Amino acid sequence: MKTTRHFLDLCDVGRVELRQILKSAAKFKHGKGQQHPLSGKTLAMIFEKSSTRTRVSFEVAMRQLGGDVIALKQDDLQVGRGETIADTGRVLSRYVDVILLRTAHPDRLVELAQSSEVPVINGLTDRSHPIQLLADIITYEENLGPISDARIAWCGDGNNMAFTWLQAAVEFGFELRLACPSELELDAKEIFDARAAGANVFATNDPVEAVSDASCVVTDTWVSMGYEEGEWRQRLLEPFRVDEALMKNANPNAIFMHCLPAHRGEEVSASVLDGAQSVVWEEAENRLYAQKGILMWCLT
Ligand code: CP
Ligand code: NVA
């Protein structure tokens, strides 16, 4: 029986297949991938939120693999006028071979996957951003070797990226140290479940404690898309800014990662983002290869 390979969350894909995707991504990065393996295939991408990297890297990846791509904003579709995401999935899967959805609501993604006859890719929800994490793993391992030996420090909002790092700690076996203000922490149950699944996770409200001897320090915007900006949020997150003083607590050869877009002077100082330890531009470039690995896994 044919099973549809949806890429919804790291834990659904599982560690063995995630490693296969990363291997395939590396082949494409090093020019050893097949030429035009996705010729005749079409990707449809639906964006209910903004995107630079996801949209452009998937578009370029699909074209370089020989396929075609259609990018749609919510208002381009009848979903903007009330057609259900399930009906949209039923129809689109008669035309295209794979669908990506970026939406606030994880339930919409699941609904789309349940109604679609073709693979569905999570292009980010308020809960998780797994396609980004694959590029992050590639970037870490290119710089510092196996991520299973890593101590990763997360500093800032307990948002969708923090949650995805938590899922990655289960699948890739590294130590994760989460530092968030108590008001913006990840759900305690999520951390409990990750530990029960074998993750080595430490949660604190002290960024220095988290960053201590870390091999990689990660942060993300203080205000994720769709969330309310506010002085209160800035005030809570101010002590979690990744600056040179905080980076001094990490290993001397530690790297700094950020999924981007970044806000210099907020979650990260300009000197760290643009400094020698930052690998954020490689990380953004690796999105392209990660997307190729994901598309190949979904479609071949
Ligand atoms: N990191 C990331 O997903 O960037 P975009 O929002 O620009 O796609
Ligand atoms: N946490 C951010 C990630 C952007 C790629 C957001 O959801 O806006």
Side-chain angles (χ1 to χ4, degrees):
M1 197 181 73
K2 180 177 167 264
T3 50
T4 308
R5 281 181 158 176
H6 300 302
F7 191 91
L8 302 185
D9 262 318
L10 298 179
C11 54
D12 306 328
V13 179
R15 60 201 71 180
V16 174
E17 309 230 349
L18 288 169
R19 276 289 167 200
Q20 276 175 19
I21 294 172
L22 291 173
K23 223 168 151 182
S24 154
K27 264 196 190 162
F28 286 109
K29 181 157 188 179
H30 300 297
K32 294 186 182 136
Q34 280 170 268
Q35 294 289 313
H36 303 141
L38 300 186
S39 169
K41 306 278 187 196
T42 302
L43 162 69
M45 299 191 285
I46 305 170
F47 288 97
E48 298 180 353
K49 289 173 178 249
S50 314
S51 170
T52 298
R53 280 143 288 268
T54 302
R55 173 169 173 175
V56 178
S57 60
F58 261 106
E59 214 165 311
V60 172
M62 196 61 189
R63 295 227 172 92
Q64 288 182 353
L65 295 174
D68 208 344
V69 56
I70 303 167
L72 300 153
K73 293 203 175 133
Q74 190 171 20
D75 289 346
D76 297 331
L77 293 161
Q78 295 285 13
V79 281
R81 298 181 59 249
E83 186 170 24
T84 68
I85 196 74
D87 287 351
T88 306
R90 285 183 190 105
V91 172
L92 287 187
S93 58
R94 303 285 171 116
Y95 305 140
V96 304
D97 303 280
V98 52
I99 305 170
L100 176 144
L101 175 64
R102 171 169 285 198
T103 178
H105 313 287
D107 296 353
R108 273 172 86 69
L109 184 75
V110 172
E111 210 180 324
L112 177 66
Q114 283 168 347
S115 58
S116 168
E117 287 167 30
V118 301
V120 170
I121 298 172
N122 177 355
L124 178 148
T125 70
D126 285 357
R127 179 177 153 85
S128 65
H129 195 11
I131 53 177
Q132 172 70 49
L133 232 297
L134 289 194
D136 297 353
I137 303 284
I138 296 171
T139 310
Y140 184 94
E141 296 198 329
E142 283 178 345
N143 280 278
L144 295 176
I147 197 151
S148 52
D149 299 338
R151 175 180 283 185
I152 309 280
W154 172 274
C155 291
D157 187 16
N159 65 10
N160 48 3
M161 280 306 306
F163 175 68
T164 314
W165 275 102
L166 182 65
Q167 287 198 320
V170 176
E171 302 306 326
F172 292 97
F174 52 81
E175 180 184 352
L176 179 64
R177 299 184 145 234
L178 293 162
C180 309
S182 53
E183 295 84 345
L184 297 170
E185 276 169 342
L186 281 177
D187 193 346
K189 178 163 185 322
E190 304 287 14
I191 296 179
F192 178 88
D193 289 348
R195 285 193 183 124
N200 179 0
V201 189
F202 171 78
T204 175
N205 305 124
D206 177 359
V208 172
E209 195 179 14
V211 168
S212 215
D213 296 326
S215 52
C216 174
V217 180
V218 194
T219 190
D220 185 16
T221 179
W222 285 349
V223 189
S224 285
M225 289 179 277
Y227 284 74
E228 191 193 336
E229 289 192 36
E231 199 268 319
W232 64 274
R233 191 179 261 281
Q234 306 273 330
R235 191 167 26 81
L236 287 177
L237 286 159
E238 197 78 33
F240 295 80
R241 174 177 304 118
V242 180
D243 57 15
E244 284 178 77
L246 185 61
M247 284 299 288
K248 283 207 166 72
N249 296 285
N251 281 347
N253 67 343
I255 55 174
F256 169 76
M257 296 214 277
H258 188 313
C259 65
L260 305 177
H263 308 81
R264 290 172 178 79
E266 292 190 19
E267 73 274 9
V268 59
S269 67
S271 58
V272 169
L273 187 77
D274 301 314
Q277 288 173 287
S278 171
V279 294
V280 300
W281 313 118
E282 293 168 43
E283 188 183 352
E285 180 189 335
N286 282 329
R287 296 291 305 271
L288 178 63
Y289 310 109
Q291 320 305 33
K292 288 185 180 180
I294 293 164
L295 287 166
M296 290 297 288
W297 178 79
C298 287
L299 289 171
T300 61

